[in-house]
Amino acid sequence: MQKIVKFTDDKYICPQKAIRKFRSAKKLRTPLYLYGVTGIGKTSLVMHNLNMKHCLYYSASETSADQIKIKEQTAEYTVILDDLQCVTDSTEREHYFEIIRNLLMLDQVWLILIARCPFPRWLLPLRTKYIFAEIEENDFLFTIDEQIAYLEQYHLQLPREEHQSAWNVGGGNPLSLLFFAMEKGNLELTKRKQWDYLETHVYDQWDLELQEFFMDISIVETFNVSLASMLTGRGDVEKLIFRAEEVGNFFDIRGVNGIWKCRWPMRKSMQQRLHRKRTLDQINHLYYTAGLYYELEGQLPEALTMYEKYNDTGSISRLLISNARKNPSSGHYYELRRYYLELPEEIISGSPVLMAGISLLQSMLMNIEESERWYHTLEKFAQEHTGSLGKEARSQLLYLKIALPHRGSVDMIDLLKNADILIHSKKAVLPELSVTSNLPSLMNGGKDFCEWSKRDKELAFSIGKPVEFVLGKYGKGLVSLALAESYLEKGKDIFEIFSRAERGRMDADRGGKLEQVFVGVGILAWLSVLKSDADGAASSLKVFRERAEKEAPNLLPNIDAFICRIHLYQAKDVSEWMKQAPDENGEFCTMDRFCYLTKARVYISMEKLENAYCLLQQILHYAEIMKRTYIHIEGKILLAIVQYRLEQEEWKETLQECISQAESYHFIRIFSREGPALMPMFEKKKFIWKDQEFRAQVLAESKQMAKTYPSYLNADSKNNVALGENALRILWLQSEGMSSGDIAKELKISEATVKYHNKETYRKLGVRNKAAAIAEAKKRRLI
């Protein structure tokens, strides 16, 4: 029935975003739809901004469709239909649909619809025919300043920090702020009052099926249909989600990539309801079910969180042993380190797998003494046990001898030969062993194999076959890929590198592991960069990423870091990658070393030189402890660049150290990759080179890279000018004194194209001629 509502709340403050939308719709008399959770101020907004004498107000919670009477009037008036989420019966929906359609057809009627849920599906045909203005839930949320003004009416004077804390809890929700004022600024009491309100005014109005569903899923932060089905034991989960969407706006994430997430206040109040209405055994069974689901899906950290909730030590121990059977590239050592490190020593000492896992984890955490202690404990265990336990211990020892990161690769040849004998004689079984640790490298992957590159061809023919046998699937294509990478680093013939890389990649693709394929793709990507085709490198990596997303998601962080490095050559924006880059200010994760080295380069390109300096100190410390020769040289080269730009004299000594160390391995590309940044440094000082042929190749390739990618590692934060690769090359060649005709011949393009690029470059740099463009580009460090 029609209802006249009088609002006398003189403390009402209207959120500015919502009132602007309301006034705009009112001015144009555009049909208006408002939605948001209960108590957010939907109805208050309407009532405080309309003359109710000219309005008809109906609440669907109290009024059936046939009680709504539409009168023909000449004067304009407003019809408000509130609580549309209460219309759940299909017949009643049909009647309401007709009423709303008829109201929309009347020119003198301004129609306002209010509900707790986004625009309901049963009204969508009208939405497609009539243009609706919408005031969404977020529009009702107060800003910090609006919150302060509201609370001051209740004489609640708080420091800005406490206002921020209150806003963080309620997100600017007016109802939450009202409770906060009522509780005199007590956040804990505010949260409880908010949960209690939802209990009484929302959830108790639902049918029992929906209540039970939300209680069951409240134990997890996010869920998909499969997990919800396991937790609830129901096959109609999608139907329940559909119903939930129609009665309110209770999801933060609504089916994005199949994932759903309940809003924080709702989830907390549902957890409260769960503990009040269910027994402890019933709740523990929910956690067990969720843990089992995560375990089956390979989401071990999430599974352990569930098992820990009800102190299921048996499942926790079983899961940690299962994870310890994996190598670091496929397992979750770092993510689960808390669980491993909290295990009692007596439990670890009884399991060869756990002893090996702890030894490996401590090595990854750079706790060398602890790693060796557990290695020797396992060694003693192997001597004291026979049978299957003794064989398991010997197998784990063999694995650690090869895999422990801090031990380097000095004795690796003898170890692999011995492993070949033991495996053939069935005295040991080698657990899966990744050589790459998810990096696009064999030489600088799980371990550092720089020393092997000095005898690459000899070793490939002498121990190649045994190594491939010992490593199993991880050995497929290894010899070809290892030679290709060694030749790449040493600046050998590009066509031979290409041939070996392609052969290795294809071998790995046939029955091998995708980690090895990544190495092949990475080598080919570097070849593209060296051949002035960074676009091709980025394209191939993006194609490979699509495959890895389905088959080996553990590779994605390093693939994304690799793409970021290519983008630096292309002078593209890498800010999105930086948002997901690992934080070096927390605990240094050795498995993220490729990402850290990429991040150091981004810092340099952004002129955040102090950040780069600090990060490089961490990387170099890691390289020293873990005997990582390649990373040590790479890190020192980047450090020299930072020192040079900070105008520290030490850069000369640092770069000379890199030259001397790299020269002993004949590593060319470790310099030429950074050529655009290194060329000014090479030109500024004479360094000592023992091998003049090595020097000539380093300088020639670095100069070529500087011409091809003049903006690499140059800051663009001051200018935001994006010039394409061709435009930058033309600008560089112009700075070298070449004419447009000569540049056209050099780049194999027409002279008209050169002139077009010049015109666009002048426009972007805000100059009028070539000389000014070159000067401005140098000023902005584009060339």
Side-chain angles (χ1 to χ4, degrees):
M1 56 185 292
Q2 181 181 346
K3 189 175 181 182
I4 302 297
V5 183
K6 291 186 179 180
F7 282 79
T8 58
D9 180 11
D10 57 356
K11 292 183 171 62
Y12 176 77
I13 291 180
C14 184
Q16 289 304 303
K17 194 172 181 181
I19 191 60
R20 281 196 297 270
K21 286 189 175 183
F22 183 87
R23 287 171 179 168
S24 174
K26 182 182 178 183
K27 182 178 180 181
L28 301 172
R29 298 187 68 77
T30 307
L32 181 62
Y33 185 84
L34 303 86
Y35 75 90
V37 294
T38 181
I40 203 167
K42 307 179 294 293
T43 308
S44 295
L45 173 67
V46 173
M47 299 303 179
H48 278 87
N49 288 279
L50 285 179
N51 183 345
M52 296 307 295
K53 292 180 181 179
H54 304 293
C55 299
L56 297 177
Y57 175 92
Y58 302 93
S59 170
S61 63
E62 302 172 0
T63 310
S64 62
D66 57 14
Q67 291 178 292
I68 300 173
K69 305 300 180 185
I70 301 175
K71 299 176 181 177
E72 290 287 344
Q73 296 184 28
T74 54
E76 292 182 342
Y77 66 102
T78 302
V79 176
I80 305 160
L81 300 182
D82 202 348
D83 299 314
L84 287 178
Q85 75 280 347
C86 296
V87 184
T88 56
D89 178 75
S90 58
T91 303
E92 186 68 2
R93 283 181 176 177
E94 289 177 8
H95 292 159
Y96 257 97
F97 183 94
E98 285 302 313
I99 291 291
I100 293 170
R101 186 168 66 86
N102 291 336
L103 286 168
L104 288 168
M105 293 170 65
L106 297 175
D107 292 335
Q108 68 270 32
V109 170
W110 181 34
L111 180 62
I112 299 176
L113 306 179
I114 307 174
R116 292 178 185 169
C117 58
F119 208 96
R121 292 179 178 87
W122 57 276
L123 287 177
L124 285 179
L126 296 178
R127 191 188 193 186
T128 57
K129 186 173 182 181
Y130 298 93
I131 298 173
F132 275 82
E134 284 193 28
I135 302 180
E136 305 170 4
E137 182 171 314
N138 287 341
D139 298 330
F140 291 97
L141 303 179
F142 285 175
T143 64
I144 289 282
D145 291 333
E146 289 171 337
Q147 172 182 298
I148 292 171
Y150 179 79
L151 293 176
E152 281 177 350
Q153 295 180 111
Y154 291 89
H155 309 293
L156 200 58
Q157 305 286 337
L158 298 171
R160 185 84 179 186
E161 299 76 36
E162 289 187 36
H163 271 294
Q164 186 64 57
S165 297
W167 196 92
N168 291 343
V169 168
N173 186 308
L175 182 63
S176 178
L177 289 178
L178 176 60
F179 293 150
F180 186 65
M182 291 167 65
E183 298 299 339
K184 308 273 190 256
N186 188 312
L187 275 178
E188 284 305 312
L189 292 178
T190 299
K191 286 188 273 189
R192 288 177 197 164
K193 199 170 194 75
Q194 188 171 339
W195 298 339
D196 289 340
Y197 179 88
L198 289 171
E199 282 265 312
T200 307
H201 293 84
V202 179
Y203 309 141
D204 282 343
Q205 314 304 317
W206 292 354
D207 58 57
L208 284 176
E209 277 188 323
L210 213 49
Q211 292 181 38
E212 294 287 331
F213 171 75
F214 276 108
M215 280 194 291
D216 288 342
I217 64 169
S218 70
I219 67 164
V220 294
E221 186 173 354
T222 62
F223 65 92
N224 57 23
V225 171
S226 300
L227 173 56
S229 296
M230 275 190 72
L231 286 172
T232 61
R234 300 183 64 112
D236 59 348
V237 164
E238 288 170 307
K239 179 182 174 185
L240 288 170
I241 292 173
F242 182 86
R243 279 166 57 188
E245 284 188 305
E246 291 189 325
V247 298
N249 188 30
F250 300 117
F251 295 111
D252 272 338
I253 300 175
R254 304 171 60 210
V256 179
N257 298 320
I259 299 297
W260 302 81
K261 181 181 180 181
C262 292
R263 308 186 75 164
W264 179 81
M266 177 193 178
R267 185 180 169 220
K268 288 297 179 185
S269 59
M270 275 297 172
Q271 287 177 345
Q272 183 176 285
R273 192 180 185 92
L274 176 71
H275 283 86
R276 198 167 60 242
K277 292 184 175 287
R278 301 277 182 85
T279 66
L280 184 61
D281 285 343
Q282 288 174 322
I283 295 170
N284 287 345
H285 182 72
L286 279 175
Y287 283 120
Y288 168 77
T289 304
L292 185 61
Y293 171 84
Y294 287 131
E295 189 175 345
L296 292 171
E297 292 295 311
Q299 297 173 255
L300 301 193
E302 291 83 356
L304 283 169
T305 300
M306 293 296 110
Y307 293 145
E308 190 180 28
K309 289 286 186 182
Y310 66 102
N311 199 29
D312 186 350
T313 54
S315 292
I316 290 172
S317 179
R318 171 179 53 77
L319 208 55
L320 291 176
I321 290 174
S322 173
N323 183 70
R325 293 187 183 279
K326 299 178 180 179
N327 66 65
S329 64
S330 59
H332 298 272
Y333 288 83
Y334 188 77
E335 299 93 323
L336 306 183
R337 63 193 181 284
R338 177 175 69 84
Y339 297 99
Y340 280 113
L341 299 178
E342 287 177 356
L343 282 173
E345 291 221 355
E346 57 270 21
I347 291 179
I348 301 171
S349 302
S351 167
V353 176
L354 279 178
M355 283 186 275
I358 294 293
S359 178
L360 183 60
L361 174 61
Q362 293 288 12
S363 181
M364 292 168 63
L365 295 174
M366 296 189 285
N367 299 324
I368 309 306
E369 288 184 8
E370 273 297 289
S371 176
E372 289 294 330
R373 180 172 78 86
W374 281 110
Y375 173 84
H376 292 304
T377 304
L378 178 59
E379 197 172 39
K380 185 179 177 184
F381 184 96
Q383 292 166 359
E384 295 173 351
H385 290 78
T386 57
S388 58
L389 264 181
K391 185 176 181 180
E392 175 78 87
R394 288 191 297 275
S395 298
Q396 293 296 333
L397 274 174
L398 178 62
Y399 172 78
L400 290 179
K401 286 176 182 176
I402 298 171
L404 278 177
H406 69 270
R407 288 194 173 184
S409 58
V410 176
D411 302 319
M412 190 62 64
I413 295 173
D414 291 335
L415 287 172
L416 290 169
K417 286 180 178 177
N418 185 47
D420 183 41
I421 294 169
L422 288 173
I423 294 169
H424 270 108
S425 61
K426 298 186 178 178
K427 291 182 180 178
V429 177
L430 187 67
E432 65 170 33
L433 175 63
S434 170
V435 189
T436 71
S437 287
N438 294 335
L439 274 71
S441 173
L442 292 170
M443 180 184 295
N444 184 30
K447 287 201 173 190
D448 184 281
F449 288 98
C450 287
E451 290 299 323
W452 286 35
S453 70
K454 293 178 179 179
R455 303 162 52 201
D456 47 21
K457 207 162 188 177
E458 173 197 336
L459 291 174
F461 287 108
S462 62
I463 66 165
K465 291 295 181 186
V467 169
E468 287 189 340
F469 170 75
V470 167
L471 296 178
K473 287 186 175 182
Y474 284 93
K476 293 282 187 182
L478 184 140
V479 172
S480 295
L481 290 170
L483 282 174
E485 186 176 3
S486 182
Y487 290 176
L488 171 71
E489 293 301 331
K490 293 195 285 190
K492 292 197 175 181
D493 179 65
I494 280 182
F495 292 102
E496 185 173 1
I497 299 167
F498 180 85
S499 173
R500 290 186 181 277
E502 275 290 12
R503 191 184 313 154
R505 184 186 65 80
M506 292 174 70
D507 286 344
D509 236 347
R510 292 195 299 269
K513 303 291 286 187
L514 204 63
E515 286 91 333
Q516 305 293 94
V517 179
F518 185 26
V519 175
V521 171
I523 293 169
L524 295 170
W526 282 127
L527 288 177
S528 293
V529 171
L530 291 168
K531 293 187 296 178
S532 307
D533 185 19
D535 291 346
S539 178
S540 64
L541 284 166
K542 287 173 184 175
V543 169
F544 179 72
R545 190 191 190 283
E546 292 176 6
R547 181 181 174 188
E549 204 164 8
K550 299 173 185 174
E551 299 178 31
N554 49 307
L555 296 177
L556 294 178
N558 286 333
I559 296 173
D560 289 338
F562 203 153
I563 292 171
C564 175
R565 289 197 190 183
I566 304 303
H567 284 169
L568 288 174
Y569 288 108
Q570 298 171 299
K572 288 189 176 181
D573 179 28
V574 294
S575 57
E576 282 304 309
W577 181 82
M578 284 294 278
K579 292 176 184 176
Q580 68 185 42
D583 182 8
E584 71 276 14
N585 296 313
E587 190 173 358
F588 187 91
C589 177
T590 56
M591 292 295 287
D592 288 333
R593 54 193 179 273
F594 188 78
C595 294
Y596 289 140
L597 283 160
T598 303
K599 194 173 186 180
R601 288 172 167 88
V602 177
Y603 278 148
I604 294 170
S605 73
M606 297 168 68
E607 282 197 332
K608 293 185 176 182
L609 300 178
E610 289 79 8
N611 299 67
Y613 186 91
C614 293
L615 177 52
L616 287 168
Q617 294 303 321
Q618 294 184 59
I619 292 169
L620 289 169
H621 179 65
Y622 156 76
E624 184 179 343
I625 290 177
M626 307 303 274
K627 303 181 176 115
R628 306 293 304 214
T629 303
Y630 192 94
I631 289 177
H632 184 266
I633 302 172
E634 183 181 4
K636 282 280 190 176
I637 289 173
L638 295 175
L639 180 62
I641 295 169
V642 171
Q643 290 171 333
Y644 174 74
R645 295 189 180 181
L646 288 172
E647 298 182 353
Q648 297 176 354
E649 282 298 309
E650 294 90 338
W651 73 267
K652 300 169 186 175
E653 185 182 336
T654 304
L655 190 52
Q656 179 63 67
E657 181 188 338
C658 297
I659 290 170
S660 301
Q661 195 174 7
E663 198 170 20
S664 66
Y665 298 98
H666 206 273
F667 287 164
I668 303 284
R669 268 57 191 264
I670 202 167
F671 292 107
S672 57
R673 285 191 186 99
E674 316 307 324
L678 289 175
M679 273 312 295
M681 300 160 69
F682 285 143
E683 292 169 351
K684 198 162 188 175
K685 175 178 167 41
K686 290 186 178 180
F687 294 94
I688 299 170
W689 307 79
K690 293 180 181 178
D691 184 340
Q692 292 305 307
E693 189 178 317
F694 175 77
R695 171 186 176 276
Q697 190 173 353
V698 167
L699 295 180
E701 287 198 10
S702 295
K703 187 172 183 180
Q704 181 57 45
M705 289 287 282
K707 282 186 177 182
T708 307
Y709 308 110
S711 62
Y712 175 71
L713 296 194
N714 282 332
D716 61 0
S717 57
K718 292 190 232 175
N719 48 69
N720 286 326
V721 172
L723 298 179
E725 280 188 37
N726 272 343
L728 285 168
R729 287 176 194 167
I730 290 167
L731 206 50
W732 172 273
L733 293 171
Q734 283 178 330
S735 72
E736 294 284 289
M738 291 180 67
S739 67
S740 295
D742 292 337
I743 292 171
K745 290 175 185 176
E746 173 79 14
L747 299 181
K748 297 181 174 59
I749 57 178
S750 70
E751 194 169 344
T753 302
V754 173
K755 290 178 179 178
Y756 167 78
H757 280 298
N758 288 342
K759 184 179 177 183
E760 286 298 295
T761 298
Y762 299 165
R763 180 182 63 79
K764 289 179 180 180
L765 294 177
V767 297
R768 294 185 178 180
N769 56 53
K770 180 172 69 175
I774 293 169
E776 184 65 21
K778 285 182 176 179
K779 179 182 173 183
R780 295 171 184 260
R781 300 183 72 179
L782 291 171
I783 60 172

